Amino acid sequence: MKFIFTTASDPDCARSLALAALLERDPERKVAATLALRQAVGEEGDLALERSRTGGPHIDPLRSIVEPPDLPGRPDAPVLVAPKHLVKRSVHTVIGRVVLLHALAHIEFNAINLALDAVWRFEGMPAAYYHEWLRVAAEEAYHYSLLTAHLATLGHRYGDFPAHDGLWEMVEKTRGDVLARMALVPRTLEARGLDAAPPMRARLAQAGDEAAAAILDIILRDEIGHVAVGNRWYRYLCAQRQLDPNAIYPSLVERYRAPKLKGPFNFEARRAAGFDESELAALGL
Protein backbone atom coordinates (compact mmCIF):
# COMPACT_ATOMS: atom_id res chain seq x y z
CA MET A 1 0.00 0.00 0.00
CA LYS A 2 1.41 3.41 -0.96
CA PHE A 3 0.66 6.01 1.69
CA ILE A 4 -0.06 9.61 0.72
CA PHE A 5 0.49 11.97 3.62
CA THR A 6 -2.50 14.14 4.42
CA THR A 7 -2.53 17.85 3.62
CA ALA A 8 -3.10 18.52 7.33
CA SER A 9 0.53 17.59 8.01
CA ASP A 10 3.56 19.60 6.92
CA PRO A 11 5.15 17.52 4.13
CA ASP A 12 8.53 19.15 4.80
CA CYS A 13 8.65 18.31 8.52
CA ALA A 14 9.41 14.71 9.54
CA ARG A 15 8.16 15.28 13.08
CA SER A 16 4.84 16.63 11.79
CA LEU A 17 4.54 13.59 9.53
CA ALA A 18 5.27 11.30 12.48
CA LEU A 19 2.33 12.89 14.28
CA ALA A 20 0.16 12.36 11.20
CA ALA A 21 1.10 8.68 11.16
CA LEU A 22 0.38 8.44 14.89
CA LEU A 23 -3.11 9.89 14.32
CA GLU A 24 -3.89 7.34 11.58
CA ARG A 25 -6.51 4.90 12.89
CA ASP A 26 -6.28 2.19 10.26
CA PRO A 27 -3.44 -0.20 11.17
CA GLU A 28 -2.40 -0.94 7.58
CA ARG A 29 -2.31 2.74 6.69
CA LYS A 30 -0.36 3.49 9.87
CA VAL A 31 2.20 0.85 8.91
CA ALA A 32 2.44 2.23 5.37
CA ALA A 33 2.80 5.82 6.64
CA THR A 34 5.51 4.83 9.09
CA LEU A 35 7.53 2.94 6.51
CA ALA A 36 7.09 5.72 3.94
CA LEU A 37 8.31 8.33 6.42
CA ARG A 38 11.36 6.29 7.34
CA GLN A 39 12.21 5.86 3.66
CA ALA A 40 11.62 9.54 2.90
CA VAL A 41 13.88 10.76 5.71
CA GLY A 42 16.58 8.27 4.73
CA GLU A 43 19.57 6.88 6.52
CA GLU A 44 21.56 10.03 7.27
CA GLY A 45 20.41 10.83 10.79
CA ASP A 46 22.74 13.72 11.61
CA LEU A 47 22.37 15.13 8.09
CA ALA A 48 18.57 14.92 8.07
CA LEU A 49 18.19 18.72 7.98
CA GLU A 50 19.79 18.67 4.53
CA ARG A 51 17.06 16.38 3.18
CA SER A 52 14.77 19.36 2.55
CA ARG A 53 17.13 20.53 -0.20
CA THR A 54 16.45 17.35 -2.15
CA GLY A 55 12.71 17.37 -1.64
CA GLY A 56 12.43 14.98 1.30
CA PRO A 57 11.11 15.86 4.77
CA HIS A 58 13.66 17.21 7.23
CA ILE A 59 13.99 16.86 10.99
CA ASP A 60 13.58 20.16 12.82
CA PRO A 61 14.44 19.52 16.49
CA LEU A 62 13.37 23.02 17.55
CA ARG A 63 9.92 22.97 15.99
CA SER A 64 7.12 23.23 18.57
CA ILE A 65 4.06 21.16 17.63
CA VAL A 66 0.68 21.55 19.34
CA GLU A 67 -0.76 18.27 20.61
CA PRO A 68 -4.04 17.38 18.90
CA PRO A 69 -6.87 15.48 20.59
CA ASP A 70 -7.58 11.77 20.14
CA LEU A 71 -4.08 10.35 20.46
CA PRO A 72 -3.20 7.73 19.48
CA GLY A 73 -5.02 6.81 16.30
CA ARG A 74 -6.26 3.24 16.57
CA PRO A 75 -9.10 1.13 15.20
CA ASP A 76 -12.38 0.40 17.00
CA ALA A 77 -11.17 -3.15 17.64
CA PRO A 78 -9.61 -4.65 19.66
CA VAL A 79 -11.72 -3.76 22.67
CA LEU A 80 -9.41 -2.59 25.47
CA VAL A 81 -9.89 -4.21 28.89
CA ALA A 82 -7.98 -4.52 32.15
CA PRO A 83 -5.22 -7.16 32.03
CA LYS A 84 -7.05 -9.28 34.61
CA HIS A 85 -9.91 -9.78 32.13
CA LEU A 86 -7.68 -11.34 29.47
CA VAL A 87 -7.97 -15.12 29.29
CA LYS A 88 -4.76 -17.16 29.05
CA ARG A 89 -4.84 -20.29 26.91
CA SER A 90 -2.43 -23.10 26.17
CA VAL A 91 -0.30 -22.58 23.06
CA HIS A 92 -0.68 -26.28 22.40
CA THR A 93 -4.09 -25.47 20.91
CA VAL A 94 -4.58 -23.45 17.73
CA ILE A 95 -6.79 -20.89 19.49
CA GLY A 96 -4.19 -20.56 22.24
CA ARG A 97 -1.48 -19.73 19.72
CA VAL A 98 -3.82 -17.32 17.95
CA VAL A 99 -4.58 -15.47 21.20
CA LEU A 100 -0.86 -15.20 22.02
CA LEU A 101 0.02 -13.96 18.54
CA HIS A 102 -2.83 -11.44 18.71
CA ALA A 103 -1.48 -10.15 22.03
CA LEU A 104 1.98 -9.77 20.48
CA ALA A 105 0.52 -7.97 17.46
CA HIS A 106 -1.19 -5.55 19.85
CA ILE A 107 2.10 -4.90 21.63
CA GLU A 108 3.82 -4.19 18.32
CA PHE A 109 0.98 -1.90 17.17
CA ASN A 110 1.35 0.07 20.40
CA ALA A 111 5.12 0.09 19.92
CA ILE A 112 4.68 1.81 16.55
CA ASN A 113 2.63 4.48 18.30
CA LEU A 114 5.07 5.04 21.14
CA ALA A 115 8.03 5.38 18.75
CA LEU A 116 6.13 7.91 16.62
CA ASP A 117 5.13 9.78 19.77
CA ALA A 118 8.77 9.98 20.84
CA VAL A 119 9.56 11.64 17.48
CA TRP A 120 6.91 14.36 17.34
CA ARG A 121 6.44 15.19 21.01
CA PHE A 122 9.88 16.03 22.39
CA GLU A 123 11.63 19.04 20.89
CA GLY A 124 15.22 20.10 21.39
CA MET A 125 16.86 16.70 21.07
CA PRO A 126 19.75 15.96 18.68
CA ALA A 127 18.73 15.04 15.13
CA ALA A 128 20.08 11.52 15.71
CA TYR A 129 17.45 10.98 18.43
CA TYR A 130 14.58 11.53 15.98
CA HIS A 131 16.24 9.46 13.32
CA GLU A 132 16.73 6.52 15.70
CA TRP A 133 13.12 6.58 16.84
CA LEU A 134 11.92 6.69 13.22
CA ARG A 135 13.98 3.55 12.61
CA VAL A 136 12.44 1.94 15.69
CA ALA A 137 8.94 2.84 14.46
CA ALA A 138 9.64 1.25 11.07
CA GLU A 139 10.96 -1.94 12.67
CA GLU A 140 7.92 -2.15 14.96
CA ALA A 141 5.72 -1.77 11.87
CA TYR A 142 7.59 -4.67 10.29
CA HIS A 143 7.05 -6.82 13.39
CA TYR A 144 3.34 -6.00 13.39
CA SER A 145 3.09 -6.97 9.72
CA LEU A 146 4.85 -10.30 10.32
CA LEU A 147 2.50 -11.18 13.17
CA THR A 148 -0.71 -10.17 11.40
CA ALA A 149 0.32 -12.05 8.27
CA HIS A 150 0.85 -15.18 10.37
CA LEU A 151 -2.47 -14.59 12.16
CA ALA A 152 -4.15 -14.51 8.74
CA THR A 153 -2.82 -18.00 7.94
CA LEU A 154 -4.62 -19.14 11.10
CA GLY A 155 -7.88 -17.52 10.08
CA HIS A 156 -7.75 -14.43 12.29
CA ARG A 157 -6.83 -10.75 12.19
CA TYR A 158 -5.85 -7.98 14.56
CA GLY A 159 -8.90 -6.87 16.52
CA ASP A 160 -10.49 -10.30 16.91
CA PHE A 161 -9.71 -10.49 20.65
CA PRO A 162 -9.63 -8.03 23.57
CA ALA A 163 -6.34 -6.40 24.57
CA HIS A 164 -4.99 -4.12 27.30
CA ASP A 165 -3.49 -0.64 27.11
CA GLY A 166 -0.52 -0.82 29.49
CA LEU A 167 2.14 0.48 27.11
CA TRP A 168 0.19 3.57 26.05
CA GLU A 169 -0.81 4.37 29.63
CA MET A 170 2.88 4.87 30.47
CA VAL A 171 3.32 6.97 27.33
CA GLU A 172 0.57 9.24 28.67
CA LYS A 173 2.12 9.44 32.14
CA THR A 174 5.52 10.47 30.74
CA ARG A 175 4.27 12.93 28.13
CA GLY A 176 5.83 15.89 29.95
CA ASP A 177 9.41 14.65 30.34
CA VAL A 178 11.57 12.92 27.74
CA LEU A 179 13.88 11.63 30.50
CA ALA A 180 11.00 9.81 32.20
CA ARG A 181 9.83 8.51 28.81
CA MET A 182 13.22 7.01 27.99
CA ALA A 183 13.56 5.55 31.50
CA LEU A 184 10.16 3.94 31.77
CA VAL A 185 8.97 2.98 28.30
CA PRO A 186 11.86 1.50 26.28
CA ARG A 187 14.18 0.54 29.13
CA THR A 188 11.44 -0.66 31.52
CA LEU A 189 8.28 -1.83 29.76
CA GLU A 190 9.86 -2.80 26.45
CA ALA A 191 12.81 -4.40 28.22
CA ARG A 192 10.33 -6.82 29.78
CA GLY A 193 9.90 -8.21 26.27
CA LEU A 194 13.57 -9.21 26.28
CA ASP A 195 12.81 -11.43 29.27
CA ALA A 196 9.54 -12.81 27.92
CA ALA A 197 10.57 -13.60 24.33
CA PRO A 198 12.76 -16.71 24.85
CA PRO A 199 10.23 -18.71 26.91
CA MET A 200 7.42 -17.72 24.53
CA ARG A 201 9.54 -18.73 21.57
CA ALA A 202 10.26 -22.11 23.21
CA ARG A 203 6.56 -22.76 23.85
CA LEU A 204 5.62 -21.91 20.27
CA ALA A 205 8.36 -24.14 18.87
CA GLN A 206 7.33 -26.98 21.18
CA ALA A 207 3.76 -26.58 19.93
CA GLY A 208 5.03 -27.01 16.37
CA ASP A 209 4.60 -23.42 15.20
CA GLU A 210 8.07 -22.85 13.76
CA ALA A 211 6.88 -19.84 11.73
CA ALA A 212 5.80 -18.05 14.91
CA ALA A 213 9.04 -19.03 16.65
CA ALA A 214 11.03 -17.51 13.77
CA ILE A 215 9.07 -14.26 14.10
CA LEU A 216 9.94 -14.15 17.81
CA ASP A 217 13.62 -14.49 16.85
CA ILE A 218 13.36 -11.41 14.64
CA ILE A 219 11.49 -9.44 17.29
CA LEU A 220 14.00 -10.26 20.04
CA ARG A 221 16.92 -9.32 17.78
CA ASP A 222 15.41 -5.94 16.96
CA GLU A 223 14.05 -5.23 20.44
CA ILE A 224 17.55 -5.48 21.89
CA GLY A 225 18.38 -2.55 19.63
CA HIS A 226 15.24 -0.64 20.60
CA VAL A 227 15.97 -0.96 24.31
CA ALA A 228 19.54 0.12 23.55
CA VAL A 229 18.15 3.30 21.95
CA GLY A 230 16.22 4.01 25.15
CA ASN A 231 19.29 3.37 27.28
CA ARG A 232 21.47 5.58 25.08
CA TRP A 233 19.16 8.58 25.24
CA TYR A 234 18.34 8.05 28.92
CA ARG A 235 22.03 8.27 29.75
CA TYR A 236 22.47 11.26 27.41
CA LEU A 237 19.69 13.12 29.23
CA CYS A 238 21.02 12.16 32.67
CA ALA A 239 24.45 13.51 31.71
CA GLN A 240 22.87 16.68 30.35
CA ARG A 241 20.99 17.23 33.63
CA GLN A 242 23.93 16.09 35.78
CA LEU A 243 22.02 13.13 37.21
CA ASP A 244 23.30 9.70 38.16
CA PRO A 245 21.27 7.37 35.89
CA ASN A 246 21.29 4.48 38.36
CA ALA A 247 20.44 6.66 41.36
CA ILE A 248 17.56 8.56 39.72
CA TYR A 249 15.87 5.54 38.16
CA PRO A 250 14.12 4.19 41.33
CA SER A 251 12.62 7.62 42.02
CA LEU A 252 11.24 7.77 38.47
CA VAL A 253 9.68 4.33 38.96
CA GLU A 254 7.97 5.58 42.13
CA ARG A 255 6.91 8.96 40.76
CA TYR A 256 5.28 7.53 37.64
CA ARG A 257 4.04 4.31 39.27
CA ALA A 258 5.87 2.07 36.83
CA PRO A 259 5.51 -1.67 37.36
CA LYS A 260 8.15 -3.32 39.49
CA LEU A 261 10.27 -5.75 37.48
CA LYS A 262 10.05 -9.46 38.25
CA GLY A 263 12.25 -12.28 36.98
CA PRO A 264 13.35 -14.42 35.43
CA PHE A 265 15.50 -11.97 33.48
CA ASN A 266 17.28 -12.37 30.18
CA PHE A 267 20.60 -11.01 31.41
CA GLU A 268 22.37 -11.71 28.12
CA ALA A 269 19.85 -9.67 26.11
CA ARG A 270 19.73 -6.90 28.71
CA ARG A 271 23.52 -6.67 28.68
CA ALA A 272 23.47 -6.45 24.86
CA ALA A 273 20.85 -3.69 25.14
CA GLY A 274 23.21 -1.54 27.20
CA PHE A 275 22.31 -2.19 30.83
CA ASP A 276 25.43 -1.98 32.99
CA GLU A 277 26.53 -4.57 35.51
CA SER A 278 25.27 -2.62 38.52
CA GLU A 279 21.78 -2.41 36.97
CA LEU A 280 21.82 -6.13 36.24
CA ALA A 281 22.97 -6.91 39.76
CA ALA A 282 20.12 -4.79 41.18
CA LEU A 283 17.60 -6.97 39.29
CA GLY A 284 18.77 -9.96 41.30
CA LEU A 285 18.04 -8.37 44.66
Side-chain angles (χ1 to χ4, degrees):
M1 176 189 296
K2 183 178 180 181
F3 185 84
I4 306 299
F5 290 109
T6 65
T7 54
S9 55
D10 182 345
D12 293 327
C13 176
R15 291 178 57 224
S16 175
L17 293 174
L19 178 56
L22 177 61
L23 285 165
E24 176 56 57
R25 299 184 68 225
D26 179 84
E28 300 310 315
R29 287 179 61 82
K30 186 189 294 285
V31 165
T34 300
L35 296 175
L37 177 55
R38 165 65 173 161
Q39 183 176 23
V41 170
E43 301 291 334
E44 301 297 327
D46 287 331
L47 302 178
L49 285 168
E50 304 299 320
R51 299 280 304 171
S52 60
R53 300 177 186 175
T54 61
H58 66 280
I59 294 171
D60 182 356
L62 300 181
R63 181 173 184 142
S64 181
I65 302 175
V66 176
E67 180 173 356
D70 301 323
L71 288 180
R74 52 188 165 196
D76 294 332
V79 175
L80 300 179
V81 299
K84 65 182 179 181
H85 296 310
L86 297 175
V87 178
K88 294 184 178 180
R89 306 171 191 250
S90 170
V91 297
H92 291 282
T93 65
V94 173
I95 190 62
R97 292 199 299 278
V98 166
V99 169
L100 175 58
L101 291 166
H102 184 275
L104 293 173
H106 180 67
I107 290 170
E108 297 300 327
F109 181 79
N110 270 285
I112 302 169
N113 285 336
L114 69 88
L116 293 170
D117 193 80
V119 172
W120 86 263
R121 183 179 297 278
F122 299 112
E123 59 190 79
M125 295 293 285
Y129 163 91
Y130 304 103
H131 189 268
E132 284 197 303
W133 281 109
L134 284 174
R135 174 178 59 79
V136 170
E139 290 176 353
E140 304 290 18
Y142 173 55
H143 299 166
Y144 171 84
S145 297
L146 289 174
L147 289 163
T148 53
H150 190 46
L151 270 176
T153 69
L154 299 172
H156 287 274
R157 62 181 180 177
Y158 178 58
D160 283 354
F161 303 94
H164 71 81
D165 205 26
L167 264 178
W168 188 259
E169 287 172 0
M170 187 55 68
V171 170
E172 288 280 0
K173 288 180 183 178
T174 57
R175 65 197 297 170
D177 185 1
V178 63
L179 173 64
R181 174 69 62 85
M182 295 298 106
L184 301 177
V185 176
R187 69 190 306 274
T188 299
L189 297 186
E190 289 194 280
R192 294 168 75 181
L194 305 183
D195 306 321
M200 275 194 296
R201 191 240 187 256
R203 291 200 303 272
L204 288 166
Q206 187 179 33
D209 196 335
E210 292 295 341
I215 293 171
L216 264 289
D217 288 337
I218 294 170
I219 291 175
L220 177 58
R221 177 200 69 195
D222 292 345
E223 291 300 333
I224 288 172
H226 301 174
V227 176
V229 170
N231 266 320
R232 182 157 49 253
W233 293 108
Y234 173 67
R235 292 201 172 93
Y236 167 88
L237 289 158
C238 284
Q240 193 178 55
R241 301 182 192 185
Q242 298 183 323
L243 299 170
D244 181 328
N246 292 353
I248 196 65
Y249 177 75
S251 67
L252 292 170
V253 170
E254 289 296 325
R255 187 186 316 165
Y256 291 93
R257 301 187 305 279
K260 299 297 193 303
L261 298 180
K262 298 178 181 179
F265 299 106
N266 186 345
F267 288 105
E268 180 181 356
R270 284 176 173 269
R271 190 173 286 110
F275 289 99
D276 65 32
E277 294 304 317
S278 61
E279 290 174 299
L280 297 177
L283 292 174
L285 296 179

